[in-house]
């Protein structure tokens, strides 16, 4: 089923715009005068927010879990609506977007490598083939294989256990010893389909070497196989078995030489998984005293966690604008226009349950947003799905931006019963 009309301006089809990055694409399309279309399931489209529905020039309703049907439906829709670019928000749908762009003859990523940006086993193989520094790993199907792999490969403890296909830290555990392995494997293999689209998941699991040190992310715009690394962002997480993101800061506050190292490594990782016309979100760790950045993973998508807002607040660079420019075959705007600092801190519960009340103090230089309200169910704090909201701070220095965001987060009162 096809919905919508065709106003003027170039058209971009977004393979599922629902989610954190979707609203940034909507804003970017408005700035560029671009028509934004969506490809999604009918029931998912029916659940879109009024603001997202009103921002779309049209909708291609199809079954994104059925690749042949989805490609046929989307190709027909794009040709009839003169679509000039294809984008994706969901990591698991980026291979489908690459296939569609190739069929339409539009700028896109390499379909032959696109699954390496979705499947962490293929990603590890791609990194090895390209010489990208990454933790040692092995793929396992059960706890017995995992125990054998730890001994045979010398992966040691702590050990990272993560699903081959998932995002948002879902099913990821950091283990201190083998007694935690059975529970970690069960968590990593809990989901066999990704909702709400019903995409079948690879249920294999990565047993991965733990890399100590600070964690960072760096997004890379790639246009016509030329990489444009964006600023490095510092990532903060909880400790323990579940490393939940607590916030991000841009810029990262690194020495210029270290920032260049991270940006160069992130660009290499993006190219290794077939990013040719698009964007990559790459996460790295730098061990204490080391001069190497180890790539934990990369995805062929805009970042989640409101990182688009954080980066633009600090630098003036809109990742979503640059992404749309790239898929339309234009030169992306990636040059910073300001030198401020921004920090985000997520509002997290101490336990799951029913949300009773949230109180966020108002502080100059900050603003907050809540995702949940009184009466809503709060998931257990095991992954990013437990976020109640966030606070973003802007300041002239990294230290001040972090202080402001941390102060508001610390004084926020969250009551869960």
């Amino acid at each position: 089923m096809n919905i919508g009309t065709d106003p003027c301006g170039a058209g971009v089809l977004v393979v599922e715009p629902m989610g954190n990055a979707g609203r940034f694409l909507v804003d970017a399309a408005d700035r560029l005068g671009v028509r934004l279309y969506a490809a999604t399931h009918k029931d998912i489209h029916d659940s879109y927010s009024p603001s997202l529905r009103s921002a779309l020039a049209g909708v291609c309703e199809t079954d994104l879990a059925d690749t042949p049907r989805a490609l046929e439906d989307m190709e027909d829709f794009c040709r009839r609506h003169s679509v000039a670019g294809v984008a994706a928000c969901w990591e698991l749908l980026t291979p489908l977007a690459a296939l569609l762009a190739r069929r339409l003859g539009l700028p896109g990523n390499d379909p032959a490598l696109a699954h390496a940006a979705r499947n962490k086993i293929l990603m590890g193989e791609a990194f090895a083939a390209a010489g990208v520094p990454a933790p040692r790993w092995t793929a396992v199907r059960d706890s017995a294989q995992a125990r054998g792999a730890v001994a045979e490969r010398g992966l040691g403890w702590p050990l990272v256990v993560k699903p081959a296909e998932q995002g948002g830290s879902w099913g990821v555990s950091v283990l201190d010893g083998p007694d935690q392995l059975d529970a970690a494997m069960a968590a990593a293999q809990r989901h066999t389909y990704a909702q709400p689209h019903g995409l079948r998941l690879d249920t294999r699991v990565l047993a991965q070497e733990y890399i100590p040190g600070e964690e960072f992310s760096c997004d890379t715009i790639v246009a016509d196989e030329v990489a444009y690394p964006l600023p490095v962002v510092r990532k903060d997480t909880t400790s323990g078995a579940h490393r939940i993101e607590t916030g991000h800061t841009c810029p990262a506050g690194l020495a210029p030489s270290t920032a260049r190292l991270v940006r160069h490594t992130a660009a290499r990782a993006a190219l290794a998984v077939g990013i040719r016309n698009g964007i990559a979100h790459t996460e790295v760790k730098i061990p204490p005293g080391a001069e190497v950045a180890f790539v934990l993973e990369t995805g062929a998508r805009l970042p989640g966690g409101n990182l688009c807002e954080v980066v633009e607040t600090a630098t003036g660079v809109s990742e979503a604008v640059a992404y749309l420019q790239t898929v339309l075959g234009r030169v992306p705007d990636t040059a910073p226009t300001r030198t401020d600092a921004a920090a985000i801190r997520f509002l997290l519960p101490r336990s799951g349950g029913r949300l009773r009340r949230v109180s966020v103090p108002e502080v100059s230089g900050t603003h907050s947003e809540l995702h949940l309200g009184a009466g809503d169910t709060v998931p257990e704090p095991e992954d990013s799905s437990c976020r109640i909201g966030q606070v973003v701070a802007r300041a002239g220095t990294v230290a001040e931006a972090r202080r402001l965001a941390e102060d508001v987060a610390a004084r926020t009162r969250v009551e869960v019963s």
Side-chain angles (χ1 to χ4, degrees), residues 303-322:
N306 280 62
L307 272 177
C308 288
E309 178 184 0
V310 172
V311 170
E312 184 168 10
T313 298
T315 69
V317 176
S318 168
E319 298 192 36
V321 165

Side-chain angles (χ1 to χ4, degrees), residues 69-236:
R69 174 188 164 184
L71 285 173
E72 182 177 338
D73 290 345
M74 292 188 296
E75 180 181 6
D76 176 69
F77 181 93
C78 289
R79 295 195 185 282
R80 287 188 295 102
H81 292 267
S82 301
V83 166
V86 176
C89 285
W90 289 64
E91 190 168 302
L92 296 176
L93 294 171
T94 55
L96 184 61
L99 287 170
L100 178 61
R102 175 64 60 88
R103 286 176 68 145
L104 294 168
L106 298 175
N109 296 327
D110 184 350
L113 287 171
H115 273 85
R118 159 181 168 160
N119 185 296
K120 295 177 179 62
I121 295 172
L122 299 178
M123 185 183 300
E125 294 171 350
F127 288 164
V132 175
R136 293 175 299 152
W137 61 276
T138 188
V140 298
R141 293 188 180 276
D142 53 45
S143 298
Q145 281 191 353
R147 288 186 175 88
V150 170
E152 294 169 12
R153 302 277 307 232
L155 298 179
W157 307 95
L159 179 75
V160 179
V161 172
K162 62 172 66 174
E165 293 185 328
Q166 265 297 5
S169 69
W170 289 7
V172 179
S173 302
V174 180
L175 313 183
D176 293 327
D179 59 313
Q180 302 167 309
L181 198 50
D182 289 342
M185 288 293 297
Q189 296 178 313
R190 182 180 305 158
H191 301 288
T192 56
Y193 290 86
Q195 301 303 334
H197 305 95
L199 301 170
R200 183 183 293 275
L201 298 173
D202 184 344
T203 58
R204 291 178 294 174
V205 174
L206 263 71
Q208 189 181 67
E209 173 188 21
Y210 176 78
I211 302 295
E214 295 182 305
E215 190 166 348
F216 306 91
S217 68
C218 181
D219 298 334
T220 307
I221 294 289
V222 181
D224 199 19
E225 301 190 36
V226 177
Y228 299 83
L230 299 175
V232 181
V233 176
R234 182 179 297 273
K235 176 180 176 180
D236 295 300

Side-chain angles (χ1 to χ4, degrees), residues 340-366:
D340 289 337
I344 186 170
R345 290 297 176 268
F346 301 116
L347 306 178
L348 306 173
R350 293 185 178 181
S351 63
R354 187 77 62 184
L355 183 62
R356 294 182 58 193
R357 189 172 71 93
V358 184
S359 175
V360 185
E362 295 184 6
V363 175
S364 178
T366 72

Side-chain angles (χ1 to χ4, degrees), residues 330-415:
R330 304 174 185 175
V331 177
D333 293 326
T334 60
T337 59
R338 55 176 172 258
T339 55
D340 289 337
I344 186 170
R345 290 297 176 268
F346 301 116
L347 306 178
L348 306 173
R350 293 185 178 181
S351 63
R354 187 77 62 184
L355 183 62
R356 294 182 58 193
R357 189 172 71 93
V358 184
S359 175
V360 185
E362 295 184 6
V363 175
S364 178
T366 72
H367 67 272
S368 61
E369 180 180 359
L370 297 179
H371 311 312
L372 301 178
D376 288 341
T377 299
V378 179
E380 290 294 331
E382 298 177 349
D383 52 52
S384 61
S385 67
C386 73
R387 293 173 187 165
I388 295 169
Q390 70 268 339
V391 56
V392 177
R394 176 179 177 178
T397 66
V398 169
E400 180 62 8
R402 287 177 66 89
R403 186 195 69 78
L404 282 171
E406 289 169 358
D407 176 63
V408 173
R411 293 196 288 125
T412 294
R413 295 292 173 260
V414 176
E415 295 182 16

Side-chain angles (χ1 to χ4, degrees), residues 212-270:
E214 295 182 305
E215 190 166 348
F216 306 91
S217 68
C218 181
D219 298 334
T220 307
I221 294 289
V222 181
D224 199 19
E225 301 190 36
V226 177
Y228 299 83
L230 299 175
V232 181
V233 176
R234 182 179 297 273
K235 176 180 176 180
D236 295 300
T237 70
T238 59
S239 58
H242 303 295
R243 303 298 170 93
I244 305 169
E245 294 178 13
T246 59
H248 305 271
T249 308
C250 180
L254 293 171
S257 60
T258 306
R260 283 194 297 270
L261 169 68
V262 173
R263 296 173 75 205
H264 176 68
T265 303
R268 290 178 59 200

